[in-house]
Amino acid sequence: MSNRTQLTVSPGPHVRSKESTSNIMFNVVLALLPTTLTAIYYFGSSALMLIIACSITAVATEALFQKLRGIPVTIGDFSALVTGLLLALTLPPELPIWMAIVGSIIAIALGKQVFGGLGYNFFNPALVGRAFLLASFPVAMTTWKLIDVTSSATPLGADNPTAIALKDLFLGRVGGSLGETSAVAIILGGLYLLYKGYIDWRVPAGYLGTVAVLTTFVGKGGPIFHLLAGGLMLGAFFMATDMVTTPVTKKGRWIFGIGCGILLVIIRVYGGLPEGVLYSILLMNMFVPIIDKYTLPRAFGEVKING
Amino acid sequence: MGKEKIDIKLIVVLTSIMIISALVLSLVYQATTPLINEHAAQAKKEAILDVLPGAVKYEKLEKGGLELYQGLDEAGSPVGIAFQHEGNGFQGTIILMIGMDVENQKLLKVKILDQLDTPGLGARMAEEEFKGQFQGKSFSDNFVAKEDVDAIAGATISSQAVSNILKDAIATVEQAYSGGE
Amino acid sequence: MKARTFEQGIHPRYNKELTAGKAFKLASQPEEVIIPLQQHIGAPAKPLVKKGDIVNLGQKIGQATGFVSADIHASVSGEVLAVEKVNGSLSVKIKNDFEDRQDESIKAKGDLKDLSAEELKDIVKEAGIVGMGGATFPTHVKVSIPEGKNVDKVILNGAECEPYLTVDHRTMVEQAEKVIYGLQALMKMVDAKEGYIGVEVNKPDAIKSMQQAIKAEDKISVVPLEVKYPQGGEKQLIKAILDQEVPSGGLPLDVGVVVNNIGTAVAITDAIQVGMPLVERTVTVTGAVKNPQNLIFRIGTPLSQLIEESGGFIGTPGKVILGGPMMGQAQSNLDLPATKGTSGILVLSKDELGAYPEAGPCIRCARCVDACPAKLLPTALVNLTKADMNLKLQDYHVLDCIECGSCTYVCPANIEILQWVKLGKENLQAELRKSE
Amino acid sequence: MLTLWKDFVKGLWKENPVFVMLLGMCPTLAVTNTATNGLAMGLATSFVLLGSGIVNSLVKRLIPDEVRIPSFIVIIATFVTIVDYSAKAYVPAIAESLKLFIPLIVVNCLILGRSESFASKQPVHRTIADALGMGVGFTWALTFLGIIREVIGFGTVFRGTSLAIQVMGEWFQPWLIMVLPAGAFLTLGTVLGVMNYFKNRAASVKVDLQDSTGESCHTV
Amino acid sequence: MDFEIFKNAIPSMGLLGALFAGGLAYSSVKFKVEEDPRKGEIEKVLPGANCGACGYPGCASFAEAVVKEETVCDGCPVGGPDIAEQVATIMGVDAGASSKERQIAQLLCQGGKAETFNQADYQGIPKCRAANRVANSKSCEYGCLGFGDCVSVCAFGAMYMDDNGLPVIDTDKCTGCGKCVSECPRSIIALMSNTEHIVVRCKSVLKGKEVKQACEKGCIGCTLCAKKCPVDAIEMVNNLPVVDAETCVGCGACVQACPTDAILETPYETIKIEKPKEEVLVITEDCVGCTLCAQKCPVDAIAGDPGNKHELDTKACINCGQCVKVCPKDAIEYQ
Amino acid sequence: MGDLGELFGSLVMIFMTAAITNNFILSQFLGICPFLGVSKEVPTAFSMGLATTFVMTTSAVCVWAVNSLILVPLGLGYLKYVAFILVIASFVQLTEMVIKKVSPPLYKALGIFLPLITTNCAILGLALMIPMNNYNFIESTIFGLGAGAGFTLAIVLMAGMRERLEFADVPAALKGAPITLLIAGLMAMAFMGFSGL
C-alpha cells in the first residue's frame, strides 16, 4: 500500500542535548593539541613523523578491521585518531617508524576492535599499543633522544632525580616520550577537557593526589618531582580518564584514580621498571568491571523500609 | 541403604597399583640415575673449568664448611677457586658457578647454571655481554645494577639478582677463608 | 532564600518564553467531542449512555469501575452519536448542540469550613478529578490515606519542569486564590498541618502571586526551587522541599506527604465552589504553531482543532507531542481528542527534528549516570535488558526508574536509553510474576 | 580397520586437542616459546598418552569407581616419571628447557580426558589409535605454535639445536613479547580466531551450496 | 642390580596407597549421599536447550521434577514423543497417550508491508514491544509490527522474517514452546493444534470499513464464511469469525468465500485461492431509499440519501450479499 | 624481634611473589583450564578461586608432609610425582565427599568445583615447587595461600571482564576461547608491570 507517512512517533524524550560521540572525541583531539605542538617543537620532524604515522595507521586499521567484519566503518567518530595520537605521544622520539606503525595496529586491532570496537574494550587501546611495543622492543622503547640535557635517561631513570630542575620538567625541557615532557601543555589540555566536562575530575584528582601523598613518604625526589616526571600528567589527564575504560560510577572513579596512584608508586619505588604509569592504568583497567559491579550508587530512596 | 561394608577391593587395587608403580619406577630410577649423575658431573666439570680461565683440572677443597673447587693450570699451580652459589632471581632460583681469585680479591668469570627468568630479557644474563662484565670485578665493589653493573635493558631486576648472588657468594667465601684460617 | 533542589538531573532548554506571558484563552467548542472512558490510570469507566441519548454539560456519562478509576462527564450538551472504540479505547461521541445545558447535579457544594473530609473526598470522586500534571492518577485515591499511615504535609507541584509547558505557571499567576483554596481543601481531606507550593525560580511572577495569596495563611509556604529537570518529579520535589527521600518502591505517603498538581487544586476548587466536574482543562499549545498560547478547552476536543485554534502549523509538522518534550507522547493521529491528562500540545517541525540519529555504541561516558535523578546506572540497565538478563535488573534497581528521560537526553551515542529501560522494567515484572 | 583409521585421524584436525577441544592448555601456552620445546613436549605427552592409555584400557575393569581417578592418575604419573628420568638421562638439554612442565603432563587434561572418555570405554587397539592420533595432533599443534612464536620472537626456528635455522634476516628485530607469557596467550588466541574465521567462512559457503543445489554436499 | 632400593619404595608406596584407598573406601560408605541416578540419565536425554517451556528453570530442574514425580514424562514440549519415550523408559513407565497431535505456532495476521502502510514514522528501538508502547505507527493497530521479536526469541530457528515484513513459521521446526506467543505484544501468534485445518488470519475487531482502510487482507466481518460453512462451524464474535475445530470438516468453503483472503487453510503454507468474482451486485430502480442496505454493508459500499435510490460502489463491494438479504424491496440483485 | 620481623618479611615476600609477580595463571601458565572454563560469572569464579585456594593450601601442607616426612628421609625423591598426585587426588576426593555430606550449601557453593581442581595443574605445579624451593611447613602454607590468592584474583578479574563481554559486539570468529585468551594475554601484559617487585 502507499506510504502515507506524515508524523513521526517515537518514545520520549523528544529533545536531545547537542553532545555526540564524535564531538567528544574531537574535543579530546583539540585538547591534545598543545601537547602535540610542544612535542613537535622540542623533537622536530621525527616527532611529527611518528604522530602522522600513528594517526594514519590507527585510522586505517580501524577502517580495515570494520571492512573485514562487514560492519559500518566508523572512523568519522575520531576515536581511532585519538588512540593513534595518544600512542604517538607515549613513544620515544627516536623510535623507528615501523615500530610505531606496529604499535598503532596492535592498539586498534588488539586493544579495541577484537572486543567489538568503540565502547567495548577493557584496556586503553593506546596503552595496549605501548605496552606491546615496550614488551617487544624494550631497548628501542627506552632509548631517549636528548634535547639539551645531559641525562641519558628519562628523569625517572636518572641517577639523581633532584638534579633535574623542576622548571625544566614543568616546561618539558627533559628527555622522554613525545608527549610526556611538558607538564604545562598537558595540564592546559586537561583543564580544557575538565572545563568542557568531557573528563571527570575525580580520576586525575585521585591519581595525582595519591601519588603526591605517597611520594611524600616513600621514594626519592619528593611529590612535585614525581608528579611532573615521566608520563604521569599525560596518563592522569588523557589515559586514565578514557571514558570507555574507566568506571562509570563516581565512587568507582575515585577507587580507580587512587588505585592507579598506589600501583604507580609501588612500581616506581619498589618495582623493577622505572616508569609505571602505563602499567598502573592497564592494571586498573582490569578492575573496572568489578569496580563498577560493586560500587553501585545508592539508588534514590534506597533505604530499608522500617529500618 | 543402611550399613555397608567397606570395600576391600578398593584398598587392594589402589595399593597394588602403587606397589607396581613403585617397582617400575625404582627400576627406571636405577637405570637412569648413573647417566643423570654423569651428565651432572660432566656439566659441573665444564662449568668449573669454564669459570677458571687457564685451569685444566680441579680439585675439591673444603673450607669453613664450604665446598670449593680449586682450579689448577697445566703446571699444576692454582688459578683460582670456583664456587657454586644460588639465590632468588626474578622468577625463580638462579644458580651460578663463580670463579674467583681470592688472593687478588676479584672475580674471574661467572657462568649461569640455571635460571628461570624471562626469555629474551632476564634470560640474557647468560649472554657474554652481561656476565662478561663481572670479569675482574673487585670484591669490594658495590654490585648495584645501573650503577657499577650495567643492567640488561628491560631486566634490571634479573641483573640486580645476579649481582646480589655474586655479592653474597663473595661474602660467604671470604667468611670461610677468614674463619678457616 | 536559596532555591532548593535534588541531586543530579539535567538542564534542557526550557523554551517557555513562547507562551509564558500569554493569559489563558477559551478555546472554541468543537462540533463533536470524543470522550474516552479511560482518561486515567486504573480501570476504564463503564458507559452510562447509549447512542441517541441526549446529555447535558457535566452529566456523568461514565461510571468508575472499582476503586482506582474515575467518573467521566459530558463536556458539552448534545446527542450521543456513538459509544464505540476509538483508537483502541471505548469512547462516547457527542454531537455538540452548543447550548451548554448544565446538568441539574451541578451546584455549589457549600463552604469549605462546613464540609467534612469525607464529604470533600466524595466531591472529588464525583467530579472525576485526576492528577492534572499528566499522570492522571485518580485524585480521590491519592487522598484516601490507608489505615496506619499518617499524612501531615501536602505539596502542590508548581515546578513545571517540563520544557515548553506554561499552564501551571499561568494558573498560579491568574488563579492564585483558587490554587490556595484547592490546597486548603486537600489539606483538610488528608488532615495535614502544613502545605507547600514548590515553584521553580524561573517563574518569579508566579512566586510573587502565590506569596501574595498566602499572606493570611501561616500553614502554607511557597518554596522557590532551582531550575532543573525533573524538579517536578514527585520524589524529587519532596527531596527538594522537605529533604526527605521516599523509600525505594514506596509512595510519598511513606514519608507523610501527598503531592498534587497545581491544576488539580484548581479543579478541586471548581468542584466545590461551582460544583462543575472535570469537563475542561488548560493546555499549552506551543512549538511550531503560528500562535503559541495557553487555552482552556472542553475535554474531548480533537487535537487538530486545538492546533488550528493556535494558528495551525509552521512548516511541515514532524512530531505532535501530548505533554512536554521530555515525557510527552508523540501522536500519529490528530483526530484523537485531548483529554484530562493533556497539559500540552507541542509541535516540533520536521526541520527542527532533523534526521533521526542512529544509535552508536555506548562509550561509557557516564553522562546518564550523572544525570539520573534516581541515581541508577542507565547504561548497565540498557546492557542487561539487551542481553535479556532480566532478573539482574533487580540488583540495579530498575523499578526505581521514574522514566524522566534525562538519560536519553544526555546520551552522546543517541541510545534510546529510556525505551530500553522501560522494556527492561516490563521484562523484570513479567519475570517476577512468573516466579510468584 | 576403518574405525581405527578414523580414531587416529580425528585427533589430527577435526578433534584436535589444542585447537578444537582446548585441552592441555597449560603446556600449550607454557612451552611453545620455541619450536623445539613444542615438539619435545608434544612427543613426551604423546608417549604418556599412549602408555597410560594402554594400561588404563587394560585395567579398567579391575578398578572400582571410587578409586578410578586416583588409580588412573597414578598410572599416568608413573609414565610421566619414566619420561622425566629418561629425558634427563638421554636428552638432558631438552629436559632442562622443559623443566617443570614434564611432571605437569600428569595433570594435562588431555591425558586424563582421553583416559576417562575413551580409554576407559574402548578396547586397547582403538585406544592406541586414538592416543596416537591425539598425540600427533597435540605435537603438531604445539610445534606449530612454537614455530610462530619463535620466528617472531627470536627470528629463528629450532634454535639451540642442530636443526637451527635463522629465518629472519639481520634486519629483523625480534618481538620479545612473543616469547613472554603475554605472547603465548595472544598467539593462541589469534590462531584460534583466525581458524574460526575460516571455519565460519567455509560453513557459510557450505550453506550457500546447500541452498543452491538443494541437497547436502556431505560425501563421507 | 641394587635391590636395596625396593626395600623403602615398595612398602612406603604400598602403605600410602592402602592408606588413601582405605580413606576413600571408608568415606564412600560413611559419607554416601543418596542421589537418584535417574536424574542424571534423564538430563542426558533432554535436549538441553534450557528454554523453560516445561515450566522449570532448565533441563536439570525438569529432570529433578520428573524423578520426584512432580511432572509427567512427556512434560518437555520441545523433545516431543521421542524424548518423552526415552524419559519414560528411564522412569520405567509408559510415555502415555502422547499421540502425534502437537501444538504449532500460527501467525494470525497477513498485514505485511504490501497489505498495510505506515500512518506515522516510528523512530526508536527496532523491537515490536518497544514500538507497541508508543502511538500506533502502523495503519492497523492490531497487525504485526514486523520487527521480529518473535524470531529473536525462537530457540529452535523455526522462524524468520520474510521480505514482506512478516514472520514465517517453519512448522517442522516449531516445537510449540510458546515463546513467540508470549513475546508478541499484539498477540497475533497463537498455538494451535496441527489438526485444526482452518485459521482466521486476522485479529482486527474493527468494523469492515476501518479494516479495509488499514489492510488489504484484514477480516471485514462480512460473515460470508459463516454463511457458506456447510456444517455451521463458524460463529462471528467481535467482528471476527471463530472456527469451532470440533465441528469443522476442513472443506475450505469459507476459504473460498472470504473476500479478503483473511481465512486460510492449513497445512501451513499460504495457499492462494483464486476467488472468482463471477457476479456483480447492483441496486435496481425498485430501491426506495430505506438505507437498510447501507447500514448493513460491512464495507460501506452503499451510499445514498434517505428516500432516494442508493448507489453501490462495485469496486468496494465484496459480494457478501448482506444487503440482498436485508432489502425489503428485493431491489438488490446479482447481475 | 628482628628475626621475627625478617621471618614475617620473607613470608610476605613468598605470598606476594606467588600471588602477583609469579602469578600462577598469568606468568606460569598453571591452571589455565579452569581459568578459561569457570570464568563466566564473578560469583562462580570467586567460588572457584576460594575452592582452589583451599585445595592449594591444604595440598601444600600434605605435600610438604609427604615430602619431608617420607620421601626425603627414605631417599625416594624419584617417586614424588606418583606420591604427590595420589595424595592430592585422594585428598580432594575425600574433601568432596565430606562436604557433600556435611554441608550441602557449602557443597553447592564450592564442592562442585572440587573434581575440576584435582586435575588442575596449578595444584601439582605448586606441589612440585615446594620441594624445589625447600620451603618449610609455614612457608609451604603461605605459598599455597599466596598462589591461591593470585589464582582467585586473576580468575575473578577475568570473570568481571567476561561478564561485560556479554554485552560487547565481539567478532564471531573471536567469540569464546579466542577472546578469552586475548584478554588473558593483555592481562599478562599488564601484570608485567609488577615484574621485579
Side-chain angles (χ1 to χ4, degrees), chain F residues 96 99-101 103-115:
Chain F
E96 190 202 344
I99 304 187
K100 201 171 180 180
K101 181 77 177 183
S103 167
L106 188 64
Y107 179 74
K108 268 221 159 125
L110 300 182
I112 43 172
F113 301 111
L114 287 174

Side-chain angles (χ1 to χ4, degrees), chain D residues 52-131:
Chain D
S52 62
I54 293 171
V55 176
N56 285 345
S57 171
L58 284 174
V59 301
K60 66 189 176 227
R61 255 176 239 130
L62 302 174
I63 298 179
D65 253 12
E66 286 86 345
V67 292
R68 198 179 71 246
I69 292 192
S71 309
F72 277 10
I73 218 164
V74 162
I75 293 169
I76 295 169
T78 310
F79 278 98
V80 170
T81 314
I82 296 173
V83 170
D84 192 18
Y85 276 80
S86 315
K88 274 186 192 149
Y90 302 107
V91 276
I94 289 177
E96 184 67 10
S97 69
L98 293 178
K99 258 191 206 139
L100 190 58
F101 284 90
I102 289 209
L104 289 182
I105 296 176
V106 177
V107 277
N108 188 330
C109 2
L110 170 62
I111 295 176
L112 198 68
R114 291 327 283 177
S115 280
E116 284 276 277
S117 67
F118 203 92
S120 68
K121 297 191 181 96
Q122 305 296 345
V124 182
H125 60 284
R126 288 194 59 190
T127 303
I128 294 173
D130 177 71

Side-chain angles (χ1 to χ4, degrees), chain E residues 231-304:
Chain E
V231 292
D232 287 340
I234 300 181
E235 193 194 343
M236 294 300 290
V237 178
N238 263 337
N239 285 338
L240 281 173
V242 176
V243 184
D244 179 22
E246 293 288 304
T247 331
C248 175
V249 291
C251 68
C254 50
V255 178
Q256 295 280 350
C258 182
T260 59
D261 292 342
I263 301 191
L264 289 182
E265 203 168 354
T266 53
Y268 320 124
E269 65 267 26
T270 315
I271 303 166
K272 271 274 171 211
I273 296 165
E274 285 306 316
K275 175 166 45 67
K277 200 171 183 177
E278 68 287 345
E279 284 174 317
V280 182
L281 280 171
V282 286
I283 301 178
T284 65
E285 291 306 315
D286 294 342
C287 173
V288 293
C290 70
T291 75
L292 276 176
C293 54
Q295 283 175 33
K296 197 74 191 174
C297 180
V299 292
D300 288 355
I302 302 178

